Structure formats: structure tokens, C-alpha cells
Amino acid sequence: MAITGEIFRQNLTELLEESPSGSPELHVLAVDDSLVDRHVIERLLKVSSCKVTVVESGRRALQYLGLDGETGSLGLDSTKVSLIMTDYSMPGMTGYELLKKIKQESSVFREIPVVIMSSENVLTRIDRCLEEGAEEFLLKPVKLSDVRRLKDFIMKGKVKEVEKKSLKRMRSVDCGSPLSATYSPISLSCDPSPSLLSPLSSKNARL
């Protein structure tokens, strides 16, 4: 149990940066062509103890993420972005088009949650964004409760990621350790005995 706890703490330290208040800090990329709306969302995120990067267009967001095709345009902290919040109606590139770029053309950022914001409650628009992979569609004005709910959702996902990394690391430790009288269900996965095989696996073995 001591080894398990130590592995979990190591993974947690690697995955989450600690803010001055001691709470895990999340990095949010906010995209909006409206200066007023950018100030509003930036304020809400900072009140919620999030690190915020704001840009004014989809093109600038792609540049920051290094997805514009230009070498050396990757932002220093872009690979640590935990959430992308983008307005839907923007000139040049809409939030929907930005969403498609991120989800379809990037293996690095594909799993990052993308939230679409809009002042227009258009059902077909909402459905299209959700079908394309948007995590949520928020109606403006965005409220503090919306931001805090999103932060809680992201944090739960990060904790699950830590747990997965811990289990993976524990399996590698168990598989490389000498056999002992003390074992866990995880260690059994290193070399399963015939009794642990599923009926299907056993049937295939007989064939």
C-alpha cells in the first residue's frame, strides 16, 4: 500500500501544477473576437483559480496551439492546455471550424475538452457542435457557476488519468519484481493462470 500511495503521489505531482492557494491549476485557452467577452471570461476563469490565455480569433488559437502549419509557432504552455473555450460566431474562422480543426487534425489536442459559447440559442448549431465533439455548449453570458462546473469536470478527468498512470506503473513494478507470498489482483495480470482465463480464451486455447 505504501508503494501504491507513493506512485499515485508521484503521478499527481507530474500531472498537476499547484497554484499558490494549493489547488491544482488548470490552463484554459479562451477564444473570442469580442474584447468585452474576452475580459468577462478571463475574469471568471481567474476568479476560479484557472490560468488563462486569451486570443481574439480561431487563427490565433491555432497559432498558439501550433496547428497553423508554421514551424516554431507552438506556445510554450500550449501543450499543457486543459480546456479550450471558444465563441461560436467569429469572423474568419467560426468556433465550429476551430473545433473541427482540433478534433480532426491534432493527435495531441484531440482529447482536450472544447466548450462552445454563443449568445444565440440555435438548436441545430448546438447539435452540430456536440456531434463534432464539443464537450458542452454554453449560452452567453457565461456565469461563474458554469466555469466552476467545468473546472470540477476537468479535475475529475485529471484524477482518473492519474489513477490510470498509477495502475500502469504498478503493473510494471509488479511484473519486474520477484514472486512473493504477498500479491494483489494487479500482479496476477502479469502471468495469468489457466483458471483466470475467460471461457472464450480457454476455448481458443483448446482449439
Side-chain angles (χ1 to χ4, degrees), residues 138-155:
L138 296 179
L139 290 177
K140 293 182 177 181
V142 177
K143 299 180 287 295
L144 183 58
S145 59
D146 294 326
V147 172
R148 287 179 172 168
R149 178 167 48 80
L150 287 172
K151 182 181 178 180
D152 288 343
F153 171 79
I154 301 300
M155 280 307 307

Side-chain angles (χ1 to χ4, degrees), residues 149-202:
R149 178 167 48 80
L150 287 172
K151 182 181 178 180
D152 288 343
F153 171 79
I154 301 300
M155 280 307 307
K156 288 178 182 177
K158 281 188 170 291
V159 170
K160 288 181 180 178
E161 185 177 346
V162 170
E163 292 173 347
K164 287 181 181 178
K165 290 183 67 177
S166 299
L167 288 172
K168 185 176 181 181
R169 190 172 292 184
M170 282 188 292
R171 287 192 184 98
S172 65
V173 170
D174 288 341
C175 290
S177 302
L179 292 176
S180 64
T182 303
Y183 61 91
S184 68
I186 295 175
S187 64
L188 293 176
S189 63
C190 301
D191 186 17
S193 64
S195 63
L196 295 177
L197 295 175
S198 65
L200 181 59
S201 301
S202 300

Side-chain angles (χ1 to χ4, degrees), residues 41-97:
I41 192 65
E42 182 177 16
R43 177 62 179 166
L44 291 175
L45 288 166
K46 286 184 175 179
V47 167
S48 301
S49 301
C50 295
K51 177 180 178 180
V52 191
T53 298
V54 291
V55 294
E56 71 279 4
S57 67
R59 296 294 180 189
R60 289 287 294 133
L62 291 179
Q63 288 176 3
Y64 181 78
L65 295 172
L67 300 177
D68 59 339
E70 296 181 11
T71 305
S73 62
L74 185 66
L76 293 177
D77 295 328
S78 61
T79 55
K80 296 181 180 179
V81 169
S82 309
L83 173 68
I84 299 172
M85 299 183 69
T86 177
D87 183 39
Y88 183 93
S89 300
M90 297 184 293
M93 176 181 287
T94 66
Y96 175 72
E97 292 169 336

